Amino acid sequence: MSRDWLKLDYGALGVALAGFLVAAIGSIVLEFISPAARSCKEKMCTSIDSIPFEDELTPGLYKAMLCAEKKDVSPKTKQTFRASGASHILALSGMHLGIIYGIISLVLKIIGNSPTAKKTRSIIALCIAAFYTIVTGAGPSVFRALLFILIREGARLAGRECSLTRCLVYASTIQLMIRPRSISEPGFQLSYLATLGICVLYPRLEKLYEGNGRKGLLDPMKRVWELACVSISCQAFTAMAVWYHFHSFPKHFLISNLLALPVTQAAMTVGIIDVGLQSTFGCPQFMAKAGSTLCQTLVHILEIVEKM
């Protein structure tokens, strides 16, 4: 008789232990961190309000995209994002945390590239990402992204490989152990379905067009194709859930994402720089203007898509 069933899956065991530890220790840690997190969020919102933007639209958008605070976004702007299929841009999600984590990792490269420096960079970036997640309320999508990053970086630091699909399973297991009722929330369902689409469908679609063999901006058509594949993969896996919860389906999601996502990334990067400058030396007018121009461009693009 085979004894394979006696063998332990140490990865699954580690996830179970991690889930129990996070659930047990998390509430205690939050008791100490939450006041600082609330204060930090208030300071970020105040800093955004004090930046000399050229219009009233930009502060509201930045508070929504960086602080998960949408009360200053006008109903008309919210409708524009919703009708054009770009609601995920306005609502703080895993995409936003991914952009912020990438910026943090890029800035921390000044530490160096030695093995010790790389580990130090990863630990610092993870701590900042975790604190930012708490600051913004730890919504299902953002928390999923944080768990995803923690698992991937933890495996890398330990010298082990962890596939995207396995990371997704581990992250969902831990999140449901901490808060089982999350499974009924639209944010949880859409976040994991979209990520599952990227893990399962995106690699197959992306291989259909090889490009010119160059990287990054040297092959713009390949970049456009990759963005299209990500959008299609996400929508293919979330369509039924979107229809079930909201009784609608964004017809022009592909156009919205292809045009709006690059502008969103640029706007968030400039916004983070503006907030950092305003909190220290003061944000210069040309940087505030750059933020306003990008936010206005984003909304203008979505208004055109909305009218199609």
Side-chain angles (χ1 to χ4, degrees):
M1 181 178 176
S2 175
R3 294 178 178 270
D4 288 345
W5 63 275
L6 291 172
K7 294 180 180 179
L8 288 174
D9 184 341
Y10 290 103
L13 181 61
V15 169
L17 291 174
F20 281 120
L21 285 174
V22 172
I25 300 173
S27 59
I28 299 175
V29 173
L30 287 175
E31 289 289 332
F32 296 96
I33 296 180
S34 291
R38 286 192 295 270
S39 175
C40 184
K41 182 176 180 177
E42 291 172 0
K43 288 180 180 178
M44 286 176 63
C45 290
T46 302
S47 180
I48 290 172
D49 284 330
S50 62
I51 296 173
F53 292 120
E54 297 181 337
D55 61 314
E56 297 179 356
L57 171 73
T58 302
L61 285 181
Y62 272 137
K63 281 189 280 189
M65 293 191 294
L66 297 178
C67 307
E69 187 61 68
K70 293 193 288 185
K71 66 179 182 180
D72 291 334
V73 180
S74 69
K76 182 179 181 299
T77 302
K78 291 178 182 178
Q79 174 58 27
T80 297
F81 276 82
R82 190 180 302 112
S84 60
S87 296
H88 59 287
I89 293 176
L90 190 60
L92 192 70
S93 65
M95 178 193 75
H96 299 77
L97 183 63
I99 293 173
I100 291 170
Y101 184 79
I103 294 171
I104 294 169
S105 300
L106 183 64
V107 171
L108 290 175
K109 282 190 175 182
I110 60 174
I111 296 177
N113 288 313
S114 67
T116 302
K118 288 181 178 179
K119 290 182 179 179
T120 303
R121 277 164 34 192
S122 294
I123 293 171
I124 294 174
L126 288 173
C127 290
I128 294 174
F131 183 70
Y132 178 77
T133 301
I134 296 172
V135 167
T136 55
S141 179
V142 180
F143 190 50
R144 186 270 310 157
L146 176 64
L147 289 174
F148 206 86
I149 293 171
L150 286 172
I151 294 168
R152 288 279 287 181
E153 282 298 303
R156 189 180 65 81
L157 290 173
R160 301 183 62 181
E161 289 293 329
C162 188
S163 67
L164 294 177
T165 306
R166 179 167 290 190
C167 280
L168 191 65
V169 172
Y170 287 170
S172 61
T173 301
I174 293 174
Q175 191 163 356
L176 289 174
M177 289 173 69
I178 295 171
R179 192 181 177 190
R181 285 184 290 181
S182 294
I183 197 170
S184 63
E185 298 176 358
F188 177 93
Q189 296 172 10
L190 295 176
S191 176
Y192 277 96
L193 286 171
T195 309
L196 183 61
I198 294 173
C199 293
V200 175
L201 185 58
Y202 171 76
R204 292 166 172 78
L205 294 177
E206 189 268 339
K207 290 179 182 178
L208 296 177
Y209 175 68
E210 296 181 356
N212 59 22
R214 299 178 180 178
K215 295 182 179 180
L217 297 176
L218 297 177
D219 190 356
M221 290 307 299
K222 179 64 173 179
R223 177 60 177 161
V224 171
W225 176 248
E226 289 171 349
L227 286 174
C229 290
V230 170
S231 299
I232 294 170
S233 300
C234 291
Q235 290 296 332
F237 276 68
T238 60
M240 294 300 293
V242 169
W243 184 264
Y244 175 79
H245 289 292
F246 307 110
H247 305 291
S248 64
F249 182 79
K251 296 180 293 184
H252 306 296
F253 71 89
L254 188 56
I255 298 174
S256 294
N257 287 327
L258 286 176
L259 296 177
L261 286 182
V263 179
T264 300
Q265 293 176 352
M268 286 189 64
T269 302
V270 171
I272 291 170
I273 295 172
D274 286 352
V275 172
L277 290 172
Q278 186 67 17
S279 301
T280 51
F281 311 106
C283 181
Q285 185 63 45
F286 76 91
M287 286 299 298
K289 184 175 181 179
S292 295
T293 301
L294 286 168
C295 286
Q296 290 170 3
T297 301
L298 174 61
V299 174
H300 185 59
I301 289 171
L302 297 179
E303 286 175 344
I304 294 174
V305 174
E306 182 186 14
K307 295 175 182 177
M308 287 182 176

